[in-house]
């Protein structure tokens, strides 16, 4: 069963307050012609500015609320590997056997999960430029290849570390127990994973 961890907007509260305040200010501007004789002389200007501004800021506020109650996926963990949508890419799955270490970093009130890879080149080759540049910057600064901040996910990074350690340990055990795929031994790692119930049965036509 896949484990899906949702995104968190760390600035949601501040952004929500700003959008709501600007919506109220926009309404005041729109109704200013009813309160001021001077403003009433150019009422169409106040109606236009206030109305458009209110529509924009209130729409942003509603969209922010929607994202809060319908958050997007941040991480997907499966028996084969994990997908870090924000830091790596939604179409890239990193095998557990490619994870060399995981550790907690940062301050107690804002921790990070640091993930080092055995071979980051095969991952970098699939990544988009922005995300790849960020990973290379981590490497240049002697930081873990992937950094997952607590403020970006709706899940404790401490518990996430335990999950990663569990999956990596299981993957290494299975990898060590998997027979080599040779002419005289046609079984692959996938065959072993299916035998352990880590993969669904292979679909065969007919």
């Amino acid at each position: 069963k896949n484990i899906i961890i949702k995104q968190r907007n760390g600035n949601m509260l501040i952004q929500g307050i700003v959008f709501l305040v600007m919506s109220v200010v926009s309404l005041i501007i729109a109704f200013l012609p009813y309160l001021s004789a001077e403003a009433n002389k150019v009422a169409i200007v106040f109606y236009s500015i206030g109305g458009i501004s209110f529509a924009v800021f209130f729409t942003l506020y509603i969209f922010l609320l929607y994202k809060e109650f319908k958050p997007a996926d941040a991480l997907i963990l499966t028996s084969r590997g994990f997908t870090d949508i924000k830091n790596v890419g939604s179409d890239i799955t990193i095998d557990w056997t490619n994870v060399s270490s995981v550790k907690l970093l940062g301050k107690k009130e804002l921790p990070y999960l640091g993930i080092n890879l055995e071979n980051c080149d095969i991952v970098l080759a699939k990544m988009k430029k922005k995300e790849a540049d960020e990973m290379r910057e981590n490497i240049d600064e002697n930081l873990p290849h992937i950094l997952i901040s607590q403020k970006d996910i709706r899940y404790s990074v401490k518990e996430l570390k335990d999950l990663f350690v569990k999956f990596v340990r299981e993957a290494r055990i299975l990898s060590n127990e998997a027979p080599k795929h040779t002419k005289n031994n046609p079984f692959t790692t996938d065959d072993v994973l299916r035998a352990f119930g880590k993969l669904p049965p292979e679909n065969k036509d007919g």
Side-chain angles (χ1 to χ4, degrees):
K1 183 179 180 181
N2 295 350
I3 298 174
I4 299 176
I5 296 171
K6 298 293 185 177
Q7 289 184 10
R8 181 204 301 274
N9 183 357
N11 300 319
M12 187 270 178
L13 181 60
I14 296 175
Q15 291 176 336
I17 292 174
V18 170
F19 292 152
L20 194 58
V21 168
M22 292 305 298
S23 297
V24 173
V25 171
S26 300
L27 278 178
I28 293 174
I29 293 174
F31 283 97
L32 205 56
Y34 295 99
L35 306 175
S36 168
E38 292 297 321
N40 193 45
K41 294 178 182 178
V42 285
I44 188 64
V45 174
F46 285 91
Y47 294 154
S48 300
I49 295 175
I52 293 173
S53 298
F54 175 79
V56 170
F57 288 113
F58 196 70
T59 299
L60 289 172
Y61 178 71
I62 295 299
F63 180 67
L64 197 66
L65 289 180
Y66 175 81
K67 288 202 301 181
E68 179 66 17
F69 291 104
K70 293 276 188 178
D73 296 343
L75 288 161
I76 302 175
L77 282 62
T78 72
S79 60
R80 294 300 302 272
F82 72 98
T83 302
D84 184 345
I85 296 169
K86 180 179 184 295
N87 297 302
V88 179
S90 60
D91 57 345
I92 301 173
T93 298
I94 300 174
D95 292 342
W96 293 119
T97 52
N98 194 17
V99 177
S100 61
S101 66
V102 291
K103 59 183 178 180
L104 292 175
L105 303 167
K107 299 179 180 179
K108 184 178 180 180
E109 59 272 15
L110 187 59
Y112 287 78
L113 180 66
I115 304 165
N116 280 308
L117 304 177
E118 294 279 1
N119 186 345
C120 64
D121 291 334
I122 60 174
V123 178
L124 282 167
K126 302 175 185 177
M127 294 169 65
K128 294 180 180 178
K129 184 178 184 305
K130 178 178 178 292
E131 289 79 7
D133 287 344
E134 290 177 355
M135 182 178 288
R136 291 191 181 96
E137 185 177 337
N138 290 341
I139 296 171
D140 292 340
E141 296 180 1
N142 292 320
L143 293 170
H145 299 125
I146 301 172
L147 291 172
I148 301 174
S149 174
Q150 180 65 77
K151 70 180 180 62
D152 293 332
I153 60 172
R154 298 169 181 261
Y155 196 86
S156 165
V157 293
K158 294 180 181 179
E159 294 181 18
L160 183 61
K161 175 180 176 288
D162 294 337
L163 278 177
F164 267 71
V165 169
K166 175 187 173 186
F167 276 116
V168 171
R169 185 186 297 118
E170 289 182 355
R172 287 176 180 171
I173 292 173
L174 291 173
S175 178
N176 291 333
E177 293 180 354
K180 301 299 181 181
H181 189 192
T182 65
K183 181 178 180 180
N184 296 325
N185 184 13
F187 296 103
T188 64
T189 301
D190 281 2
D191 296 322
V192 177
L193 287 170
R194 289 190 181 93
F196 276 82
K198 298 296 182 180
L199 279 180
E202 185 177 12
N203 290 328
K204 296 182 179 179
D205 295 332

